[in-house]
Every structure is written in structure tokens, then in C-alpha cells.
Amino acid sequence: MQHRTPDKAQHYIDLLESARCKASWSEVPEIVRKLSKHAPQRKCLQLTAQAEYQAATYTAVAHPRTSDTASKLSQLIPALLSSAQDSSTPQEDAFQAHVCLGWIHWILKEPSLALKRLSPHISDHYGRLETDEATVSSWTKICAMKGTYITGVLQDNVGSTGEALKLYKSILPRVADTILTSSSAPEYRNWAERLLVHCCVLSNKIASLPGGKEHGVQSSGITLAPFRIWASFWESTSQYRSSTQANQSARIDSAAQRQIWRLYYDTLSAILQRGQAYPMASHANPYVAEISSGDAHSSKNSRLQQNIELRRVESIYEGLLLSDIPFPKASETNMEIEHWIDQVMVNWRVVFGPAWRGSDLGSGGKETVTRNVLAEN
């Protein structure tokens, strides 16, 4: 009998973990009720899950937002904060509670309070959890992505774009594997996509500032890193984008997704057109750039990969562009399509020029590239 209670408690903790990751919020109240019976000492966990349920309900598209429901969210804060600050609360439970508090303040349009709850805890606290705990739960990893995303948005909103990007890039290497291997859980896809989209936008924004792309090879590698993770995430979640249910619940619309591919293509085009050294992607971690050495073999491999990456991104962006926007008639104009055509042509002139050899472009060389460009345009 002495071992039954811990087993039951762990059973309901696992059920709660699964329900949160799957965004099965309607199941949470009953699981919490049972957990309160079998694990009363995990008070902070119970309060956080209940608060998450109410916050998720409040933010649901079909749910009408009223001052009364907002007030109910506000009323959750004191008890949750007290529990999170209790020294007897497990570290992971406290971390999840702080992220939940930041989320609630963000929902209620209280940015300064949201930052107060999040910024001291996100990167450093999550790093300590990874060091101190044998295993960090899936929901804690989701909370890390959620809290990081919200903090970055708030920092960017007050002009601290560089700090936001620094925060994103401190967390992305640690959650990259989670982003790419846990795509079946709706909450993973939701917060991973938000985080990656905003990181890519900020990365491009910083690089587009005067002198932003003129800091050599490492700058290019850092700029490309979030786009490469985005591309891997896109591929790993392709089956979910095609489902009606996924499309209805998508938090990032198709126009925003297309924008990321456009920025990715623009970034690759800038590296090519400015003659910057191309940072090859590491197979072990797309967040790490492998810089080719000056020998002929490395340079050839670098240019082969550069051309492959450029053509792949060009193809994906072209497909999204032409599926979302009807190609303009002779009497019409579309700036996005015209910009894409201009980029394709400038890129073609670079690789067809004297700085590139046919062997740099793989099978078919410059002739194949020319045929592809003419077919696209």
C-alpha cells in the first residue's frame, strides 16, 4: 500500500503532461482533481495546470473575451505567484509557474509585469534545470519555448531587438532537437513555430541594419542558423499543415510562413550577391555553421551546398508564392512577385559570371542553372 500512492500520483502527473502537450485542455480539470488527491504536495503543479487551462480557454478563438473572464484570470495570479516562490516547490514546477504567470500578464496586455515574471527566469533558469535535473519534462521544454518567445516579443516591442535576438539564440540550440523531434504534439508545433518565425524576422531585421551583414563569415552563419532550423521544422511538420484540423488551429497564417521563406531566400541571395563566404550547415546541428577552408576541395563543396540550398529555398518559396498569389496579368503588378523575379535574375547573373565555374554548380553546370531560371521566368 505504501508504493501505490506514488505510482498513482505519477500516473496522473504523466496524464497531465500528455494533456498539456496535446493541448487537450478540457481534460485538465479532472486530472488535476485526481492529482490533488494522490499528490497534494504538488500544489504548484496543480495551480499552474488550472491556470493554463483557464488561459487557454480565454485565448480560444471562439471564446468571447469579457472583463469578467479577464478578472478571473487576474485572480489566479496571487496564489500562483506565492506557490512558485515557495522554497519547497520543485524547480521544474516553479519554472512552469513563472512562465504561466508571464503568459497571463501577456494575455492581459500587461507587458511590464510579463517581463518581470519571465526575464529573470527564462534562459538562466532553464539552463540550470538542464544541469540539475536528470531529465527535463516535455512540458518544461515547451514552457521554455513559450516564455522565450513572449519575452523576445516584449523586448522587441520596446526597441530591445538585439537583446531579444540574443535571448532567442541562447535558447534555440538547446531546444532545436526538441523542435525537430516532437512535432506531433500540437503545443510543440504552436510555440516552436512562433519562436522560429519571430527569431527569423529579428535575425533578418538586425542583419538589414547599416553594416549588419558586413561582419564576415560568422555573421552570415548566425543569420542563417534560425532559417535552417525553420526549414527542418517545416519539413518535419508537413503532414500536419495538410490536415484541415491543423489549418483551423494554426497560429501562424500562410502569409507569415511565406514571409519567412522570402526572408530566407533574401538572406541567401545577399550572401551570394555580396560575395560573402558561405557558411556550410553542420549535419549535427543546423545552428552551427561550418566554415569552409581555403583549399579547393572545401571551396567546391561549399559552393555546391550553397547552390543546392539556394535552389531548394527558391523552389519552396516559388511554390508558396504562386499558390497564394495569382500571377499578375500584363496590366497588373505585384511587388512581391516582381521582387522574387529580380532576385532570381540577379542570382543567375552571379553564378553565370566569371567568379563561378560550371563545376561549382554540380551536374549540368551553368547550362542546367540557366534552363531552370528560364523555366521559372
Side-chain angles (χ1 to χ4, degrees), residues 111-128:
S112 60
L113 289 173
L115 276 175
K116 182 179 180 181
R117 300 299 171 217
L118 289 170
S119 56
H121 302 280
I122 289 301
S123 186
D124 292 343
H125 196 162
Y126 183 68
R128 288 197 299 272

Side-chain angles (χ1 to χ4, degrees), residues 64 69 102 134 137 253 268 321 354:
T69 53
S137 73
D253 62 26
L268 289 169
L321 185 62

